[in-house]
Amino acid sequence: MRRVERLINLIAALLEAPRPMTADEIREQIAGYEGLSRTAFRRNFERDKETLRAMGIPLELRQLDPFGIDPDGYTIPKDRYYLPELDLEADELAALRIAADAILGS
């Protein structure tokens, strides 16, 4: 599997997970990490986290257990990842369409 596919799988899984995922859950459940030794997984995952953060993707580590017994989990908060809904006026929307058409050559 190519690295870009693994990154997309990681982003999609962290956005859709009902709660933050531990590193072990990521290793077991996300395509591209399964079957890797712990050392290889750690190396790849550390590089992938760095890449996502460099791209501006808000990958966060969250404490799952207030007593510190369970490992922390990773998440991508949807409210920080997705753009807010744009409430454009009709003339603003028309200008945006004209600009998009000019760029796309439609």
Side-chain angles (χ1 to χ4, degrees):
M1 173 175 287
R2 293 185 345 213
R3 182 167 186 229
V4 101
E5 290 176 78
R6 189 177 66 232
L7 290 171
I8 291 169
N9 292 337
L10 179 59
I11 293 167
L14 293 177
L15 282 169
E16 295 306 316
R19 63 170 183 72
M21 296 178 73
T22 66
D24 285 339
E25 290 170 334
I26 290 169
R27 181 174 172 242
E28 294 167 2
Q29 297 174 21
I30 298 178
Y33 294 115
E34 76 280 357
L36 295 177
S37 69
R38 284 196 182 279
T39 303
F41 165 74
R42 269 285 163 214
R43 199 172 40 247
N44 285 327
F45 187 49
E46 289 302 319
R47 273 196 310 259
D48 291 350
K49 290 188 304 185
E50 185 177 311
T51 298
L52 294 180
R53 288 176 176 142
M55 293 169 53
I57 296 174
L59 179 64
E60 295 181 1
L61 182 61
R62 295 218 178 129
Q63 186 177 20
L64 297 176
D65 180 3
F67 301 108
I69 296 170
D70 292 330
D72 294 341
Y74 294 90
T75 188
I76 298 174
K78 289 180 182 181
D79 62 330
R80 292 189 51 218
Y81 180 76
Y82 293 113
L83 291 174
E85 192 65 37
L86 298 177
D87 189 23
L88 299 176
E89 299 292 328
D91 59 332
E92 294 170 321
L93 188 55
L96 187 59
R97 284 190 182 132
I98 291 170
D101 287 346
I103 291 171
L104 298 173
S106 300

